[in-house]
Amino acid sequence: MAKLTAIERLKNLKKLLKIERDEDFRLYNELFLRVNLEQRKKNGVTWYPIKINSEELGSGDLLHLEIERTTLVDRPHQFTSGKNVSLFSNQQDEKQEITGTIKSVGKNSLKLIIHSDELPDWCYEGKLGLNVQFDDNSYQEMQRALDIVIDARGNRVSELREIIEGETTLTFKNVSEQIIIPQLNFSQNRAVRHVVSVNDIGVIHGPPGTGKTTSLVHAIRITLQTENQVLVCAPTNSAVDLLTEKLVGLGIDVIRLGHPARISEELMNSSIDGRVAASPYFKDIKNLRRNAEEYFRMAGKYKRVFGKEDAKQRASFYTEAKNCIKEAKLLEDYIIDELFNTTQVICCTPVTSTHRALYKKKFNTLFFDEASQALEPMVWIPLIKCNRLILSGDHFQLPPVVKSQEAKKGGLDLTILDKCIEFKEAVVLLNRQYRMNNAIMGFSNLYFYKSELVADDSVSEQLLHNDSTSYLSASIEFIDTAGCAFDEIQNPETLSHSNPKEGEILFKHLEQLLFDYSSIANLPLLDVGIISPYKEQREWLKEKVLEQNFDKSKLHSLSIKTIDGFQGEEKDVIYITLVRSNERQEIGFLNDLRRMNVAITRAKKKLVVIGDSATIGSNPFYKSFLEYCEEHGMYRTAWEWNL
């Protein structure tokens, strides 16, 4: 079969994206549109009834609400920070709703930013609820970007299209070996010099704990010595926030572009609203708005007009108010235009790069972090504004989420990073990691990274406690539940799995670990993470952990999340509960080895994995992992806990 041209492949990619969008919408319909209110509540896509506990005007003159659900409390839900939702009333027959974006969310409460400066009157009449909305905007922007790339002829976009397809050779310029940043190691400095040398596309390959983001921000700093402004993107808001924080820490002038609800509180000073508020002209804007309010107030006194003079005076007040608002808007636009012309770094998600202030802007360089998680069309959204591309990520860690199996089989989950990692001359590997000791690093290093990683001396031998007589000194344990009848349980509504018996073993192990650790003097506080690939198990663990009587005297933090929730994080101790236990040897999500690579590389000093070897052992990856644990004397059985 003849190889597709770049344009043919992208046209096919556009079809796959449409299939993915339709599948995403179908799943949304199943959870939402085709079911009644009670079922939507059970599906976790609707909160009803709710109460508004507080409201205040926040950044950008948008209304901030604190909302609490009053029924089905503690039930899992689909509300997450950054999602768009609609606040609706069930009071009357006609549809009444107003849209907003979730700022932060807990089990039964959330903070919501409404896309308005005041609530409509119907919000005070009771019977309010919240619905998750389907986000079609990202699909539209990806399709639009693909159209531009497909139609491109004789310009830089068409050149980049052919380069990514491997049809045009990459070029590089010579760079001085004298570019050395003292706080970076050898491979990190090599990565920075590589970025400077790139004319077209470069890749910083950063396995877990190798300082990928640190290397990237220093490469951005060096690039700004020859370029006035660069565009920096990442597929998630948390990743964009981390980049912004590190860039600001280096003294770089940054705008963190995005909806206020999607920007962390600590970075609001770097947002457009924060930067405008810091302008010396902001006091003039405030005065103009204050004057406008006063004119509106005076005009409002003329509710009943009895004569021409009164009508004339009222019209005059309204005119003055509108002139003040117009002048304030012009001044604000001037400040924003100036910011976008002079700021060194624009930091945002790919979809946000379509912001009107960037509509006609061009950049020489796009830096794209966590590129393994981004669909190819997502990268093209900002790339069509740029001349060269620097990708940073690890194609052995979290892949992009693709919900349609048909689209996945067609190759929608093949990323630009996956394609460019094949261009050997484009890639530089960061090979020194600063997170895990040798034993924890060992299996991932062997299986994914051809044993090219080296643990830095500062972490290579770190243990919870350096005493060979204590199991605290064991870096990895696999606790085997085979033969214990710890069968998985599937929730018929969510189709997610849990394994309470496995969870009980986990808590018993953690209780013993904390007890033993607390009995030893002068040890530092522990950060502990519990990971499960299944949301149902995560929710069970979150509920039951409250009933445990752990010794918390040496516990600094305890987090319970799915694998995706721990991306970019590290803990002293990580527990992984694999959940799956059945006679059919079905392992579902556990087949996603890239996600498992993320899970087993979060621990710094101790990794404890609990699972059924009879279920997972037929898979080559888990078979190798079990052999690794046995080889290093770290294999245990659940029978040790007196079941």
Side-chain angles (χ1 to χ4, degrees), residues 54-123:
S54 70
E55 57 178 281
E56 62 179 63
L57 205 59
S59 57
D61 289 336
L62 299 175
L63 198 61
H64 292 226
L65 307 178
E66 283 196 11
I67 287 172
E68 182 182 352
R69 64 169 167 176
T70 55
T71 61
L72 292 178
V73 295
D74 298 332
R75 190 179 182 89
H77 57 75
Q78 308 283 328
F79 291 79
T80 56
S81 59
K83 268 194 177 179
N84 288 328
V85 297
S86 60
L87 177 66
F88 69 89
S89 169
N90 227 20
Q91 188 75 252
Q92 300 175 15
D93 291 337
E94 67 266 21
K95 190 176 184 181
Q96 293 177 314
E97 62 179 13
I98 185 171
T99 60
T101 304
I102 298 172
K103 177 72 175 174
S104 61
V105 63
K107 190 177 282 187
N108 297 305
S109 63
L110 56 81
K111 290 184 179 179
L112 182 68
I113 298 183
I114 293 295
H115 303 156
S116 172
D117 58 0
E118 62 179 355
L119 286 175
D121 292 340
W122 53 262
C123 287

Side-chain angles (χ1 to χ4, degrees), residues 207-224:
T210 54
K212 168 175 58 66
T213 305
T214 298
S215 303
L216 188 68
V217 296
H218 277 286
I220 292 168
R221 181 177 64 81
I222 296 297
T223 300
L224 287 168

Side-chain angles (χ1 to χ4, degrees), residues 192-225:
V192 171
R193 290 193 293 273
H194 178 66
V195 167
V196 176
S197 75
V198 167
N199 289 325
D200 311 299
I201 294 171
V203 177
I204 299 177
H205 180 197
T210 54
K212 168 175 58 66
T213 305
T214 298
S215 303
L216 188 68
V217 296
H218 277 286
I220 292 168
R221 181 177 64 81
I222 296 297
T223 300
L224 287 168
Q225 293 176 1

Side-chain angles (χ1 to χ4, degrees), residues 357-385:
L358 300 182
Y359 185 66
K360 292 184 179 178
K361 284 193 75 69
K362 292 289 183 183
F363 302 85
N364 189 49
T365 307
L366 167 64
F367 290 90
F368 202 108
D369 198 14
E370 302 294 359
S372 70
Q373 298 181 53
L375 294 172
E376 179 177 343
M378 190 64 77
V379 178
W380 277 114
I381 296 173
L383 184 53
I384 56 180
K385 301 175 183 294

Side-chain angles (χ1 to χ4, degrees), residues 297-419:
R297 188 188 64 77
M298 290 189 290
K301 290 181 178 180
Y302 294 89
K303 295 206 174 161
R304 296 180 63 194
V305 179
F306 296 102
K308 285 185 178 179
E309 286 303 314
D310 288 335
K312 190 175 178 183
Q313 186 62 57
R314 183 186 186 198
S316 175
F317 284 142
Y318 272 129
T319 300
E320 288 297 329
K322 288 174 183 175
N323 285 340
C324 286
I325 290 172
K326 185 178 179 182
E327 200 171 333
K329 185 73 172 67
L330 286 171
L331 191 51
E332 187 174 71
D333 286 346
Y334 169 77
I335 296 170
I336 291 172
D337 286 345
E338 193 65 18
L339 280 172
F340 277 99
N341 285 331
T342 59
T343 301
Q344 292 175 291
V345 176
I346 312 295
C347 222
C348 59
T349 59
V351 172
T352 311
S353 71
T354 61
H355 188 280
R356 60 182 177 81
L358 300 182
Y359 185 66
K360 292 184 179 178
K361 284 193 75 69
K362 292 289 183 183
F363 302 85
N364 189 49
T365 307
L366 167 64
F367 290 90
F368 202 108
D369 198 14
E370 302 294 359
S372 70
Q373 298 181 53
L375 294 172
E376 179 177 343
M378 190 64 77
V379 178
W380 277 114
I381 296 173
L383 184 53
I384 56 180
K385 301 175 183 294
C386 305
N387 290 326
R388 68 181 195 130
L389 171 64
I390 305 298
L391 296 165
S392 175
D394 179 11
H395 56 300
F396 294 126
Q397 292 191 64
L398 290 185
V401 175
V402 177
K403 296 175 180 177
S404 164
Q405 288 304 308
E406 183 183 352
K408 200 170 200 174
K409 285 177 184 173
L412 183 61
D413 62 342
L414 184 72
T415 67
I416 283 186
L417 180 66
D418 291 326
K419 292 180 74 65

Side-chain angles (χ1 to χ4, degrees), residues 76 78 488-500 532-540 562 578-580 588-589:
Q78 308 283 328
E488 66 194 45
I489 300 169
Q490 186 174 38
N491 184 320
E493 292 180 6
T494 65
L495 301 181
S496 185
H497 292 82
S498 64
N499 195 320
S532 175
Y534 290 92
K535 290 181 180 178
E536 198 72 20
Q537 181 79 338
R538 179 196 64 188
E539 294 306 317
W540 185 92
T562 58
L578 298 178
V579 176
R580 302 310 297 268
F589 283 153

